[in-house]
Amino acid sequence: MSKLPEGPGPVGIFDSGYGGLTILEGIRRRLPQYDYVYLGDNARAPYGTRSFDLVYEFTRQAVQHLFQQGCHLVVLGCNTASAKALRSIQQHDLPGIDPNRRVLGIIIPTAEVIGSLTTTGHVGILATEGTIRSKSYNMEIAKRHPGLKVTGVACPMWVPLVENNEAGGPGADYFVKKSLEQLMEADPLIDAIILGCTHYPILLPKIEQFKRPGVKVVCQGAYVAESLADYLLRHPEMEARCSKGGGVRYLTTENAEKFSNSAQLFLNEDVAAERIDLG
């Protein structure tokens, strides 16, 4: 690996596809002063059904690329990557790449706040198969709120619905209603549901339509953004390494024009993406 840039650089946001744009949007709303670079590994998405080893390898390649772009801090804006790759990268890769660079995930910020968002102590998780199977949410919530009961349901059709621009269609009605019913049948006392995939906020109108009254739906973007703001406040040495121009670049491993068009489903602005190769 060639020498990494040393001066201040953008904050990196990585996702397997488009969903991390909901995380980027939340972060930019809270911290508009920083520069950002978003990388979507769209050519190899989705990650949700891939093995731990492949998700780790793909995520490591993306993190290294973002470091090469000048990032000192990278947020894995992807629940599957946070569940399957974050700890290995933090423990095994960062010491050899650069012990002063940091990689953060998006599961812990949500796990930290969920205790204050439930009154029954029963929490639901809707996520990809990989995130549910990893039990990462269960473990992180148990560490912080050992009294909570956590029930997870995989929603394999939700990401394809979003990425095929069907989030407002009748197919979404069927699959959203089915998954919510499955979750609430598993534990009728659930009063807070974490959307454990960054695509799912696009389905929020349907989720709100079919959820039970009184059940709170928890989207990650705002909580991740608040956690990042707190992290930078507590780590002024890292904050000083984040450049402040208010700009954002978009990188994709697939077709740049396709990414730019699809990104507009997630962002209320035009996007000009650049195509890159990871490996």
Side-chain angles (χ1 to χ4, degrees), residues 124-150:
I125 313 287
L126 296 172
T128 65
E129 185 182 336
T131 298
I132 295 296
R133 247 199 341 259
S134 75
K135 295 197 175 295
S136 293
Y137 273 100
N138 305 60
M139 291 186 287
E140 296 299 344
I141 291 172
K143 286 179 195 172
R144 294 158 179 82
H145 312 287
L148 296 189
K149 183 178 189 301
V150 181

mmCIF file of all heavy atoms in Angstrom, residues 124-150:
data_model
loop_
_atom_site.group_PDB
_atom_site.id
_atom_site.type_symbol
_atom_site.label_atom_id
_atom_site.label_comp_id
_atom_site.label_asym_id
_atom_site.label_seq_id
_atom_site.Cartn_x
_atom_site.Cartn_y
_atom_site.Cartn_z
ATOM 1 N N GLY A 124 -37.775 -4.345 18.429
ATOM 2 C CA GLY A 124 -37.698 -5.117 17.191
ATOM 3 C C GLY A 124 -36.596 -4.617 16.287
ATOM 4 O O GLY A 124 -36.262 -3.425 16.300
ATOM 5 N N ILE A 125 -36.019 -5.518 15.499
ATOM 6 C CA ILE A 125 -35.020 -5.159 14.483
ATOM 7 C C ILE A 125 -35.505 -5.679 13.142
ATOM 8 O O ILE A 125 -35.815 -6.868 12.996
ATOM 9 C CB ILE A 125 -33.640 -5.810 14.767
ATOM 10 C CG1 ILE A 125 -33.216 -5.641 16.224
ATOM 11 C CG2 ILE A 125 -32.590 -5.264 13.801
ATOM 12 C CD1 ILE A 125 -32.788 -4.272 16.611
ATOM 13 N N LEU A 126 -35.587 -4.813 12.155
ATOM 14 C CA LEU A 126 -35.831 -5.208 10.771
ATOM 15 C C LEU A 126 -34.555 -4.922 9.997
ATOM 16 O O LEU A 126 -34.061 -3.796 10.000
ATOM 17 C CB LEU A 126 -37.007 -4.430 10.190
ATOM 18 C CG LEU A 126 -38.365 -4.674 10.856
ATOM 19 C CD1 LEU A 126 -39.408 -3.713 10.319
ATOM 20 C CD2 LEU A 126 -38.820 -6.124 10.650
ATOM 21 N N ALA A 127 -33.977 -5.947 9.347
ATOM 22 C CA ALA A 127 -32.666 -5.785 8.710
ATOM 23 C C ALA A 127 -32.474 -6.848 7.640
ATOM 24 O O ALA A 127 -33.367 -7.663 7.377
ATOM 25 C CB ALA A 127 -31.559 -5.871 9.775
ATOM 26 N N THR A 128 -31.291 -6.837 7.026
ATOM 27 C CA THR A 128 -30.962 -7.859 6.039
ATOM 28 C C THR A 128 -30.693 -9.188 6.742
ATOM 29 O O THR A 128 -30.454 -9.236 7.953
ATOM 30 C CB THR A 128 -29.713 -7.477 5.226
ATOM 31 O OG1 THR A 128 -28.587 -7.440 6.108
ATOM 32 C CG2 THR A 128 -29.886 -6.137 4.539
ATOM 33 N N GLU A 129 -30.692 -10.225 5.953
ATOM 34 C CA GLU A 129 -30.425 -11.557 6.494
ATOM 35 C C GLU A 129 -29.070 -11.611 7.200
ATOM 36 O O GLU A 129 -28.935 -12.181 8.281
ATOM 37 C CB GLU A 129 -30.461 -12.571 5.351
ATOM 38 C CG GLU A 129 -30.330 -14.015 5.770
ATOM 39 C CD GLU A 129 -30.320 -14.960 4.582
ATOM 40 O OE1 GLU A 129 -30.850 -14.595 3.528
ATOM 41 O OE2 GLU A 129 -29.754 -16.063 4.724
ATOM 42 N N GLY A 130 -28.045 -10.984 6.597
ATOM 43 C CA GLY A 130 -26.704 -11.018 7.183
ATOM 44 C C GLY A 130 -26.633 -10.319 8.525
ATOM 45 O O GLY A 130 -25.994 -10.817 9.463
ATOM 46 N N THR A 131 -27.288 -9.167 8.640
ATOM 47 C CA THR A 131 -27.276 -8.426 9.901
ATOM 48 C C THR A 131 -28.053 -9.175 10.984
ATOM 49 O O THR A 131 -27.601 -9.266 12.133
ATOM 50 C CB THR A 131 -27.865 -7.015 9.700
ATOM 51 O OG1 THR A 131 -27.046 -6.295 8.764
ATOM 52 C CG2 THR A 131 -27.921 -6.246 10.994
ATOM 53 N N ILE A 132 -29.197 -9.733 10.626
ATOM 54 C CA ILE A 132 -29.976 -10.500 11.602
ATOM 55 C C ILE A 132 -29.188 -11.716 12.065
ATOM 56 O O ILE A 132 -29.105 -12.010 13.273
ATOM 57 C CB ILE A 132 -31.339 -10.924 11.012
ATOM 58 C CG1 ILE A 132 -32.220 -9.702 10.731
ATOM 59 C CG2 ILE A 132 -32.051 -11.911 11.944
ATOM 60 C CD1 ILE A 132 -32.612 -8.903 11.952
ATOM 61 N N ARG A 133 -28.580 -12.426 11.114
ATOM 62 C CA ARG A 133 -27.836 -13.648 11.463
ATOM 63 C C ARG A 133 -26.635 -13.356 12.345
ATOM 64 O O ARG A 133 -26.250 -14.151 13.184
ATOM 65 C CB ARG A 133 -27.364 -14.363 10.184
ATOM 66 C CG ARG A 133 -28.039 -15.692 9.951
ATOM 67 C CD ARG A 133 -27.310 -16.614 8.998
ATOM 68 N NE ARG A 133 -26.341 -16.016 8.133
ATOM 69 C CZ ARG A 133 -26.562 -15.720 6.848
ATOM 70 N NH1 ARG A 133 -27.735 -15.945 6.309
ATOM 71 N NH2 ARG A 133 -25.610 -15.206 6.108
ATOM 72 N N SER A 134 -26.026 -12.192 12.151
ATOM 73 C CA SER A 134 -24.831 -11.836 12.933
ATOM 74 C C SER A 134 -25.159 -11.588 14.406
ATOM 75 O O SER A 134 -24.270 -11.658 15.255
ATOM 76 C CB SER A 134 -24.180 -10.573 12.361
ATOM 77 O OG SER A 134 -24.939 -9.417 12.698
ATOM 78 N N LYS A 135 -26.437 -11.257 14.698
ATOM 79 C CA LYS A 135 -26.886 -10.915 16.054
ATOM 80 C C LYS A 135 -26.120 -9.730 16.648
ATOM 81 O O LYS A 135 -26.031 -9.568 17.876
ATOM 82 C CB LYS A 135 -26.805 -12.127 16.991
ATOM 83 C CG LYS A 135 -27.764 -13.251 16.605
ATOM 84 C CD LYS A 135 -27.978 -14.231 17.739
ATOM 85 C CE LYS A 135 -29.021 -15.267 17.396
ATOM 86 N NZ LYS A 135 -30.379 -14.714 17.207
ATOM 87 N N SER A 136 -25.552 -8.894 15.792
ATOM 88 C CA SER A 136 -24.779 -7.740 16.268
ATOM 89 C C SER A 136 -25.628 -6.786 17.094
ATOM 90 O O SER A 136 -25.178 -6.271 18.121
ATOM 91 C CB SER A 136 -24.158 -6.998 15.082
ATOM 92 O OG SER A 136 -23.195 -7.794 14.456
ATOM 93 N N TYR A 137 -26.852 -6.522 16.638
ATOM 94 C CA TYR A 137 -27.725 -5.638 17.412
ATOM 95 C C TYR A 137 -28.045 -6.245 18.769
ATOM 96 O O TYR A 137 -28.014 -5.561 19.796
ATOM 97 C CB TYR A 137 -29.012 -5.345 16.641
ATOM 98 C CG TYR A 137 -28.887 -4.172 15.714
ATOM 99 C CD1 TYR A 137 -28.682 -4.348 14.351
ATOM 100 C CD2 TYR A 137 -28.949 -2.866 16.199
ATOM 101 C CE1 TYR A 137 -28.557 -3.275 13.491
ATOM 102 C CE2 TYR A 137 -28.821 -1.782 15.354
ATOM 103 C CZ TYR A 137 -28.630 -1.985 14.003
ATOM 104 O OH TYR A 137 -28.484 -0.918 13.166
ATOM 105 N N ASN A 138 -28.362 -7.534 18.770
ATOM 106 C CA ASN A 138 -28.666 -8.197 20.038
ATOM 107 C C ASN A 138 -27.513 -8.055 21.026
ATOM 108 O O ASN A 138 -27.711 -7.736 22.205
ATOM 109 C CB ASN A 138 -28.946 -9.691 19.801
ATOM 110 C CG ASN A 138 -30.042 -9.923 18.776
ATOM 111 O OD1 ASN A 138 -29.921 -9.518 17.630
ATOM 112 N ND2 ASN A 138 -31.118 -10.569 19.182
ATOM 113 N N MET A 139 -26.291 -8.280 20.538
ATOM 114 C CA MET A 139 -25.113 -8.232 21.420
ATOM 115 C C MET A 139 -24.834 -6.820 21.908
ATOM 116 O O MET A 139 -24.575 -6.611 23.103
ATOM 117 C CB MET A 139 -23.897 -8.801 20.680
ATOM 118 C CG MET A 139 -23.989 -10.293 20.431
ATOM 119 S SD MET A 139 -22.467 -10.996 19.713
ATOM 120 C CE MET A 139 -22.548 -10.367 18.041
ATOM 121 N N GLU A 140 -24.884 -5.843 21.001
ATOM 122 C CA GLU A 140 -24.560 -4.470 21.393
ATOM 123 C C GLU A 140 -25.631 -3.887 22.315
ATOM 124 O O GLU A 140 -25.329 -3.136 23.241
ATOM 125 C CB GLU A 140 -24.369 -3.584 20.152
ATOM 126 C CG GLU A 140 -23.193 -3.988 19.262
ATOM 127 C CD GLU A 140 -21.848 -3.916 19.962
ATOM 128 O OE1 GLU A 140 -21.752 -3.284 21.031
ATOM 129 O OE2 GLU A 140 -20.872 -4.503 19.442
ATOM 130 N N ILE A 141 -26.894 -4.222 22.061
ATOM 131 C CA ILE A 141 -27.963 -3.744 22.943
ATOM 132 C C ILE A 141 -27.847 -4.409 24.312
ATOM 133 O O ILE A 141 -28.005 -3.758 25.350
ATOM 134 C CB ILE A 141 -29.347 -4.004 22.305
ATOM 135 C CG1 ILE A 141 -29.537 -3.089 21.083
ATOM 136 C CG2 ILE A 141 -30.470 -3.774 23.329
ATOM 137 C CD1 ILE A 141 -30.780 -3.389 20.266
ATOM 138 N N ALA A 142 -27.545 -5.711 24.335
ATOM 139 C CA ALA A 142 -27.419 -6.436 25.607
ATOM 140 C C ALA A 142 -26.307 -5.860 26.477
ATOM 141 O O ALA A 142 -26.432 -5.814 27.712
ATOM 142 C CB ALA A 142 -27.163 -7.913 25.341
ATOM 143 N N LYS A 143 -25.214 -5.393 25.859
ATOM 144 C CA LYS A 143 -24.110 -4.801 26.617
ATOM 145 C C LYS A 143 -24.555 -3.529 27.334
ATOM 146 O O LYS A 143 -24.110 -3.239 28.452
ATOM 147 C CB LYS A 143 -22.946 -4.441 25.682
ATOM 148 C CG LYS A 143 -22.142 -5.607 25.168
ATOM 149 C CD LYS A 143 -21.047 -5.071 24.242
ATOM 150 C CE LYS A 143 -20.429 -6.166 23.396
ATOM 151 N NZ LYS A 143 -19.510 -5.597 22.389
ATOM 152 N N ARG A 144 -25.419 -2.756 26.672
ATOM 153 C CA ARG A 144 -25.789 -1.440 27.185
ATOM 154 C C ARG A 144 -27.115 -1.445 27.936
ATOM 155 O O ARG A 144 -27.332 -0.637 28.828
ATOM 156 C CB ARG A 144 -25.850 -0.444 26.014
ATOM 157 C CG ARG A 144 -24.478 -0.213 25.401
ATOM 158 C CD ARG A 144 -24.540 0.307 23.979
ATOM 159 N NE ARG A 144 -23.180 0.522 23.489
ATOM 160 C CZ ARG A 144 -22.415 -0.449 23.000
ATOM 161 N NH1 ARG A 144 -22.882 -1.679 22.909
ATOM 162 N NH2 ARG A 144 -21.185 -0.181 22.593
ATOM 163 N N HIS A 145 -28.012 -2.326 27.528
ATOM 164 C CA HIS A 145 -29.348 -2.392 28.130
ATOM 165 C C HIS A 145 -29.704 -3.861 28.343
ATOM 166 O O HIS A 145 -30.544 -4.415 27.606
ATOM 167 C CB HIS A 145 -30.382 -1.727 27.213
ATOM 168 C CG HIS A 145 -29.977 -0.367 26.707
ATOM 169 N ND1 HIS A 145 -29.967 0.756 27.506
ATOM 170 C CD2 HIS A 145 -29.548 0.040 25.487
ATOM 171 C CE1 HIS A 145 -29.561 1.791 26.798
ATOM 172 N NE2 HIS A 145 -29.303 1.385 25.567
ATOM 173 N N PRO A 146 -29.108 -4.506 29.332
ATOM 174 C CA PRO A 146 -29.287 -5.948 29.494
ATOM 175 C C PRO A 146 -30.721 -6.380 29.771
ATOM 176 O O PRO A 146 -31.065 -7.544 29.581
ATOM 177 C CB PRO A 146 -28.364 -6.307 30.669
ATOM 178 C CG PRO A 146 -28.059 -5.016 31.355
ATOM 179 C CD PRO A 146 -28.146 -3.954 30.310
ATOM 180 N N GLY A 147 -31.573 -5.457 30.165
ATOM 181 C CA GLY A 147 -32.957 -5.823 30.456
ATOM 182 C C GLY A 147 -33.870 -5.858 29.246
ATOM 183 O O GLY A 147 -35.012 -6.324 29.336
ATOM 184 N N LEU A 148 -33.406 -5.368 28.095
ATOM 185 C CA LEU A 148 -34.275 -5.302 26.920
ATOM 186 C C LEU A 148 -34.399 -6.663 26.238
ATOM 187 O O LEU A 148 -33.440 -7.431 26.171
ATOM 188 C CB LEU A 148 -33.738 -4.286 25.908
ATOM 189 C CG LEU A 148 -33.689 -2.814 26.332
ATOM 190 C CD1 LEU A 148 -33.347 -1.935 25.143
ATOM 191 C CD2 LEU A 148 -34.994 -2.370 26.966
ATOM 192 N N LYS A 149 -35.571 -6.925 25.695
ATOM 193 C CA LYS A 149 -35.801 -8.124 24.881
ATOM 194 C C LYS A 149 -35.769 -7.702 23.416
ATOM 195 O O LYS A 149 -36.508 -6.799 23.004
ATOM 196 C CB LYS A 149 -37.151 -8.756 25.215
ATOM 197 C CG LYS A 149 -37.415 -10.057 24.452
ATOM 198 C CD LYS A 149 -38.755 -10.658 24.852
ATOM 199 C CE LYS A 149 -38.942 -12.051 24.288
ATOM 200 N NZ LYS A 149 -38.885 -12.130 22.837
ATOM 201 N N VAL A 150 -34.905 -8.328 22.622
ATOM 202 C CA VAL A 150 -34.690 -7.943 21.226
ATOM 203 C C VAL A 150 -35.129 -9.075 20.301
ATOM 204 O O VAL A 150 -34.716 -10.221 20.467
ATOM 205 C CB VAL A 150 -33.204 -7.604 20.967
ATOM 206 C CG1 VAL A 150 -32.999 -7.172 19.519
ATOM 207 C CG2 VAL A 150 -32.739 -6.500 21.923
#
